Amino acid sequence: IEYLSHINADTELGEKIVIEATENTNERKELYDRITIALPESLVYTSSDLKVDSYSYNNNNGTDKFVGFGYNCNYVHTGRTCSEIEFTQEIKKSVDLWNSMNALPTRISEVQIGKYNGYEIYRESPSDSRSHVKNYIMWVDGYQIEFFISYFNNVNPDILEAAYNDAMQAIASVEKIK
């Protein structure tokens, strides 16, 4: 995403992140008759808002409300697909919009999660009362899907790492039905 250097953005360009997929035998959830995702039991459903499903991480010692996971399947819901080039152009449009609103993220990195490519957008929280957010805007067999992980400063680092690993394996598990 060297594109950021051309607009003089004050956003760090991170190194490419590669996350290997492991075998995922978790129960699959079907989304809009178009894709499935295998969600681990540690991600407990909390709410839906339009096309965003939200979960909190449960570390088996009670629900840890300091780590959240979710996804926006708006493009999947509408059945809108795009080529990988169109996906990249959409990211550039988003960066331009964020830049014009003076709302650029702290860091943008290319990411490969299992067999899927996309971008990690990290937004650092300006205070302890708001959570840090990592968005994963992924190109999944023609669909654009946005996943997110949110967490507060005071979350236990071991819990955060376990939640992150579970979330990454869920993302890697997505399969296209049609």
Side-chain angles (χ1 to χ4, degrees), residues 1-4 6-7 85-100 104 108 119 121 137 144:
I1 190 103
E2 287 76 23
Y3 174 70
L4 285 171
H6 299 295
I7 62 171
I85 292 170
E86 291 168 325
F87 170 73
T88 302
Q89 292 302 317
E90 287 292 319
I91 296 295
K92 287 181 179 181
K93 286 180 193 175
S94 294
V95 169
D96 281 340
L97 180 63
W98 298 330
N99 191 36
S100 69
L104 282 166
I108 298 180
Y119 298 92
I121 315 294
I137 303 174
Q144 177 178 321

Side-chain angles (χ1 to χ4, degrees), residues 7-178:
I7 62 171
N8 299 317
D10 188 23
T11 298
E12 177 186 340
L13 298 179
E15 296 292 320
K16 183 171 183 176
I17 301 165
V18 177
I19 298 165
E20 297 295 326
T22 59
E23 184 178 358
N24 190 332
T25 59
N26 297 318
E27 185 176 342
R28 300 193 79 75
K29 178 178 181 179
E30 191 172 297
L31 302 173
Y32 312 110
D33 296 324
R34 292 184 173 89
I35 63 170
T36 63
I37 185 169
L39 295 167
E41 291 180 6
S42 63
L43 297 176
V44 179
Y45 175 80
T46 55
S47 66
S48 289
D49 178 15
L50 299 176
K51 304 298 174 281
V52 178
D53 285 349
S54 297
Y55 297 79
S56 64
Y57 180 72
N58 181 330
N59 64 4
N60 295 326
N61 294 325
T63 299
D64 189 323
K65 295 186 187 314
F66 296 110
V67 181
F69 171 73
Y71 45 82
N72 182 335
C73 288
N74 189 43
Y75 291 121
V76 177
H77 171 74
T78 62
R80 179 176 167 222
T81 58
C82 61
S83 69
E84 202 164 3
I85 292 170
E86 291 168 325
F87 170 73
T88 302
Q89 292 302 317
E90 287 292 319
I91 296 295
K92 287 181 179 181
K93 286 180 193 175
S94 294
V95 169
D96 281 340
L97 180 63
W98 298 330
N99 191 36
S100 69
M101 296 176 4
N102 199 23
L104 282 166
T106 309
R107 182 181 63 240
I108 298 180
S109 305
E110 286 185 77
V111 66
Q112 179 181 339
I113 303 172
K115 63 182 180 178
Y116 303 119
N117 294 309
Y119 298 92
E120 179 191 80
I121 315 294
Y122 173 64
R123 296 179 191 280
E124 188 172 27
S125 173
S127 73
D128 283 349
S129 63
R130 293 179 54 197
S131 61
H132 303 289
V133 178
K134 289 183 179 181
N135 293 81
Y136 296 88
I137 303 174
M138 307 299 295
W139 187 76
V140 177
D141 292 332
Y143 291 114
Q144 177 178 321
I145 307 175
E146 182 176 353
F147 300 91
F148 65 86
I149 298 172
S150 60
Y151 57 95
F152 290 95
N153 284 332
N154 59 349
V155 70
N156 178 316
D158 293 336
I159 290 173
L160 179 59
E161 182 178 352
Y164 178 83
N165 288 336
D166 283 357
M168 293 300 105
Q169 294 312 310
I171 294 169
S173 77
V174 172
E175 291 180 355
K176 183 177 177 179
I177 299 171
K178 68 175 188 179

